[in-house]
Amino acid sequence: MSKTRAVISQLIDLVGREFVLTSEPDTQAYLADWRGRYHGSALAVVRPANVEEVAAVVQVCAVAGVPMVPQGGNTGLCGGATPLADGQSVLVSLSRLNRIRATDAENNTLTAEAGCTLAAVQQAAQAIDRLFPLSLAAEGSCEIGGNLSTNAGGVHVLRYGNMRELTLGLEVVLPDGRIWNGLRGLRKDNTGYDLKQLFIGAEGTLGIITAAVLKLYPRPRSTCVAWLAVRDLQAAVELLGRLRAWVGERLSAFELIGQSALELVIRHIPTMRLPLSVAPDWSVLVELSDPHENAELDRLLSTFLETALESGQILNAALAGSLAQAAQLWALRENISEAQRIEGFSIKHDISLPVGRIPSFLAQADRALQAAWPGVRIVVFGHLGDGNLHYNLSYPALEENNALIARSREVTRIVHDLVAALGGSISAEHGIGQLKRDELRRYKSDVELDLMRTIKAAVDPKGLMNPGKIL
Ligand code: FAD
């Protein structure tokens, strides 16, 4: 029997024939990424049901020297969960590990398996009158293991932090098949290296996360959402600082939406309407929340907005008068990625900068790009409160756009060089995957890359975990 057939037959023995997929129609959905940019191939897609099965699958692959690609909801935007085209790996889907193992209202924690969708974790927290604050547009399909492995951010980072800050413990199957049980629910634990942080953001290159202890927070009982037309970017940055000082912890989102992003949503998503009479150059979506029922957030925000209107920092504002209106305003923001996907390919950048440098970055980048590619469409939106922008480039006309996409490297060089010069990061929240592997080499120092390679070699000496990603 060939090595491949022997491995597949052992995997079938371990998890059952039904959960080892090898035919093209069965594996297709697992082998391409959400954007349709990466297409891979695999010996098989394996769907274990629990941590013991994951460990057994990894042991078989490790002994046979077969590489493994962990996959969660497959909503990642950097090709991290797509196997390489060589067809040599086994794709390990974690979606069947979808139990909430425990909730603890006193300790404000919840233990979830890697295959729970983010929405299921939010619901489990709500069921014990708590909040799990990670929130992003793909929450109905992305999974906790994927959120951890990409250190996902989303719209509430400025108040609650990203996955690194929301995690207390992990359970991980190591590349040799051993299980590390680090499922501690402790907020204080100074017992040496913080190993969980190695696996968070590692994009499946160091092991397979099978469960996590996550932090919970008081559930907001009052929220207030507003859409603001701001005078310009500088005004948006100043408003952020002033609003933070005014409402403190209650500021839970501060999202920036450029005019072309808003126009794409209105064009492609039939139920969407402009919140104000025109689409301004720059809009900001603000959310305040508070655990008290009568926190009078509307009054607090209205007072702030009156001053901002008088000073000319904002040109106009729409305050949601009901939960339904708040959801409509959020839908405009959350449909931007989908609207872009419908519009067609664009060159995407997920960058972060110190907040105060964002106006300067945008002015310089726009100038440089318009000089090189006159009339290029710049779609900007993102989590301004975290200094995180999605900065995407395309032409509306197909032929012109294809020519631009063919020169992605040069376009990205302009953007990323400027980000680096201003002290920013080329990947704020989506990760590196296959997409930014070369870019990482350009922008990380030799010392940093050397440390990363040393860690990879120590934890995964055979190089079997998610090859071709990050390093
Ligand atoms: P996958 O795509 O399946 O995998 C992502 C990476 O993690 C891969 O490298 C994979 O190998 C690895 N991996 C997956 N599961 C495991 C595991 N159990 N153990 C080890 N490695 C694993 N991201 C943000 O941060 N903020 C946003 O606001 C945001 N908005 C988005 C909006 C849309 C519409 C879409 C489509 C995506 C968005 N994303 C955002 C990106 C994406 O949703 C996140 O990166 C998400 O965390 C990925 O989860 P997933 O389960 O889909 O992971």
Side-chain angles (χ1 to χ4, degrees):
M1 204 192 292
S2 72
K3 181 179 107 176
T4 307
R5 282 179 52 203
V7 167
I8 291 176
S9 138
Q10 286 180 74
L11 295 176
I12 290 172
D13 289 345
L14 288 173
V15 303
R17 182 172 297 279
E18 194 187 336
F19 300 112
V20 180
L21 315 177
T22 49
S23 75
E24 213 229 306
D26 288 345
T27 56
Q28 214 175 23
Y30 298 87
L31 300 179
D33 73 320
W34 188 81
R35 280 185 185 147
R37 181 180 172 140
Y38 292 98
H39 297 268
S41 175
L43 292 179
V45 172
V46 187
R47 305 184 63 229
N50 51 49
V51 59
E52 291 78 18
E53 285 191 8
V54 175
V57 164
V58 171
Q59 264 165 30
V60 164
C61 292
V63 169
V66 170
M68 292 153 270
V69 180
Q71 188 178 94
N74 200 16
T75 67
L77 300 174
C78 298
T82 312
L84 301 181
D86 60 14
Q88 297 304 305
S89 344
V90 162
L91 189 146
V92 184
S93 163
L94 280 303
S95 299
R96 289 181 67 219
L97 278 77
N98 57 4
R99 283 186 316 131
I100 301 292
R101 289 195 195 161
T103 53
D104 185 341
E106 279 180 350
N107 198 40
N108 277 313
T109 52
L110 172 159
T111 307
E113 291 189 339
C116 293
T117 62
L118 173 54
V121 169
Q122 292 166 343
Q123 282 155 20
Q126 192 166 348
I128 57 161
D129 197 24
R130 295 290 184 274
L131 171 77
F132 181 63
L134 188 77
S135 175
L136 47 97
E139 61 199 24
S141 34
C142 65
E143 298 173 6
I144 284 299
N147 299 150
L148 287 157
S149 301
T150 57
N151 184 26
V155 295
H156 290 145
V157 171
L158 89 164
R159 177 161 179 182
Y160 299 100
N162 48 26
M163 272 311 258
R164 276 193 201 290
E165 285 140 310
L166 295 173
T167 307
L168 293 177
L170 284 188
E171 179 186 78
V172 180
V173 173
L174 301 174
D176 58 6
R178 282 179 300 160
I179 299 170
W180 171 52
N181 185 338
L183 287 175
R184 300 177 198 114
L186 303 174
R187 284 171 175 79
K188 287 193 162 181
D189 178 19
N190 279 351
T191 50
Y193 302 137
D194 189 356
L195 294 178
K196 67 177 180 295
Q197 296 297 354
L198 266 187
F199 298 97
I200 300 175
E203 301 183 44
T205 60
L206 297 178
I208 300 185
I209 297 172
T210 47
V213 182
L214 304 170
K215 282 190 204 170
L216 304 180
Y217 291 82
R219 201 159 65 80
R221 287 186 166 72
S222 306
T223 52
C224 170
V225 175
W227 190 276
L228 320 178
V230 291
R231 189 190 60 215
D232 52 26
L233 274 167
Q234 189 54 41
V237 170
E238 285 166 18
L239 277 176
L240 170 65
R242 284 185 40 218
L243 188 55
R244 256 190 169 145
W246 182 251
V247 300
E249 280 287 283
R250 280 168 284 202
L251 181 61
S252 49
F254 197 93
E255 298 284 302
L256 181 75
I257 301 104
Q259 187 179 47
S260 40
L262 186 56
E263 282 169 354
L264 285 182
V265 174
I266 301 296
R267 185 177 320 148
H268 291 299
I269 313 290
T271 50
M272 297 292 116
R273 300 280 170 273
L274 280 180
L276 301 167
S277 51
V278 288
D281 287 353
W282 296 105
S283 304
V284 167
L285 177 67
V286 171
E287 183 188 84
L288 309 187
S289 62
D290 193 285
H292 292 288
E293 241 158 54
N294 301 312
E296 301 198 15
L297 297 177
D298 286 5
R299 192 181 50 77
L300 201 63
L301 188 58
S302 301
T303 315
F304 177 83
L305 293 179
E306 275 165 27
T307 326
L309 271 166
E310 276 165 25
S311 71
Q313 280 182 314
I314 60 173
L315 310 173
N316 205 349
L319 214 66
S322 64
L323 286 178
Q325 280 178 13
Q328 272 168 8
L329 295 181
W330 266 115
L332 286 163
R333 165 64 185 89
E334 284 174 344
N335 274 297
I336 297 173
S337 296
E338 182 61 19
Q340 287 186 112
R341 182 160 81 145
I342 297 169
E343 175 77 5
F345 278 114
S346 60
I347 305 175
K348 296 190 164 44
H349 306 95
D350 161 41
I351 56 171
S352 63
L353 290 149
V355 176
R357 293 187 187 164
I358 283 182
S360 163
F361 164 78
L362 285 172
Q364 290 184 61
D366 289 11
R367 247 193 330 270
L369 288 161
Q370 292 296 348
W373 284 277
V376 68
R377 177 175 55 190
I378 304 178
V379 175
V380 183
F381 62 102
H383 317 294
L384 187 67
D386 318 323
N388 175 191
L389 294 180
H390 301 306
Y391 187 85
N392 303 335
L393 301 153
S394 58
Y395 278 108
L398 186 64
E399 221 168 280
E400 237 180 331
N401 200 39
N402 288 342
L404 181 80
I405 303 286
R407 295 175 67 181
S408 296
R409 248 172 208 276
E410 293 158 62
V411 177
T412 293
R413 183 59 40 89
I414 293 178
V415 177
H416 284 173
D417 277 359
L418 193 54
V419 167
L422 291 170
S425 165
I426 61 160
S427 177
E429 60 176 7
H430 294 162
I432 299 297
Q434 304 183 53
L435 182 68
K436 293 184 190 159
R437 216 163 70 113
D438 295 341
E439 294 296 283
L440 192 75
R441 288 197 205 109
R442 181 173 165 85
Y443 297 102
K444 283 254 187 224
S445 70
D446 288 347
V447 174
E448 221 167 338
L449 282 172
D450 193 35
L451 277 173
M452 286 171 74
R453 290 192 189 106
T454 306
I455 292 168
K456 168 78 176 166
V459 181
D460 179 22
K462 294 184 181 168
L464 295 179
M465 290 310 309
N466 213 359
K469 316 295 165 61
I470 303 188
L471 289 168

